[in-house]
Amino acid sequence: MADVELIKSHLTAHPDFPKKGIVFLDIFPILRNPVAFETLITHLVHHLTSHTAATAPSKKIDVIVGLDARGFLLGPIIALRLGAAFVPVRKKGKLPGECVSAEYEKEYGTDSFEMQADAIKPGQSVVVVDDLIATGGSAKAAGELIAKQGGKTLEYLFIIELMFLKGGSKLDAPVYSIVQSDD
């Protein structure tokens, strides 16, 4: 898995960011290196085409949902490669038109995500994409938005998974992550 090692080698750890006691893993060095970025996208697309798509009734992924904001960096590229639609999930009040919303728990209080009400058609097969899963709250909210519109979440896709927070246990579909971190 030389591709995983290349991706890992471009993650930068920032201790005590955004607050003391947290080690922030920065994905932006991957995006600054065209070979590493292509390796990341190719790895994710290969996983989706060789594994995830087979779980869909149509054997095809219809929609990639990207979470605000880093999911917007990966989602459109993956969607284009798959011939799928891209649908953004944004913080409340950022999307025009009629929207559906779902609340999720944050470290201090709650927040709300929205998706345009006509973005996903009933029966469509969907994959959710973001850079990192920690507690799973935002990904769970995205899954609720997909379900409200009649879509079926096949998988949640992340670059990094913080295993000790067990965020994947809150979700309604399997999690795939490239890098698993225990701290």
Side-chain angles (χ1 to χ4, degrees):
M1 296 290 274
D3 55 342
V4 173
E5 292 309 314
L6 177 66
I7 293 163
K8 279 184 182 179
S9 75
H10 283 80
L11 292 172
T12 305
H14 296 277
D16 298 322
F17 182 84
K19 66 180 195 173
K20 191 162 180 56
I22 293 176
V23 177
F24 183 85
L25 289 174
D26 185 6
I27 67 160
F28 289 129
I30 295 171
L31 278 60
R32 291 193 298 262
N33 180 306
V35 172
F37 194 15
E38 178 61 39
T39 300
L40 171 65
I41 296 298
T42 300
H43 180 99
L44 294 172
V45 169
H46 179 264
H47 169 76
L48 292 171
T49 56
S50 66
H51 172 75
T52 312
T55 67
S58 67
K59 306 297 183 218
K60 178 183 180 308
I61 297 164
D62 300 308
V63 179
I64 299 293
V65 166
L67 302 190
D68 197 343
R70 290 185 180 96
F72 299 173
L73 301 172
L74 307 171
I77 299 168
I78 294 168
L80 278 173
R81 298 252 178 115
L82 296 175
F86 174 73
V87 173
V89 167
R90 302 227 39 209
K91 293 192 168 99
K92 189 175 182 118
K94 300 289 185 183
L95 290 170
E98 184 183 344
C99 294
V100 292
S101 65
E103 286 193 347
Y104 64 97
E105 293 294 321
K106 291 177 62 172
E107 197 169 344
Y108 302 105
T110 61
D111 209 342
S112 187
F113 262 164
E114 291 185 331
M115 176 188 290
Q116 289 175 314
D118 60 352
I120 294 175
K121 309 292 181 261
Q124 285 190 309
S125 297
V126 183
V127 171
V128 176
V129 135
D130 203 6
D131 66 326
L132 176 133
I133 180 170
T135 63
S138 59
K140 181 176 184 226
E144 290 170 9
L145 293 173
I146 293 161
K148 281 181 182 183
Q149 296 197 59
K152 166 79 171 122
T153 304
L154 300 176
E155 190 169 54
Y156 293 86
L157 194 66
F158 304 97
I159 301 171
I160 303 162
E161 182 176 3
L162 302 181
M163 302 299 289
F164 62 97
L165 293 175
K166 300 181 181 4
S169 67
K170 296 178 181 173
L171 304 179
D172 61 349
V175 168
Y176 177 78
S177 58
I178 298 173
V179 177
Q180 296 80 34
S181 178
D182 286 314
D183 45 66

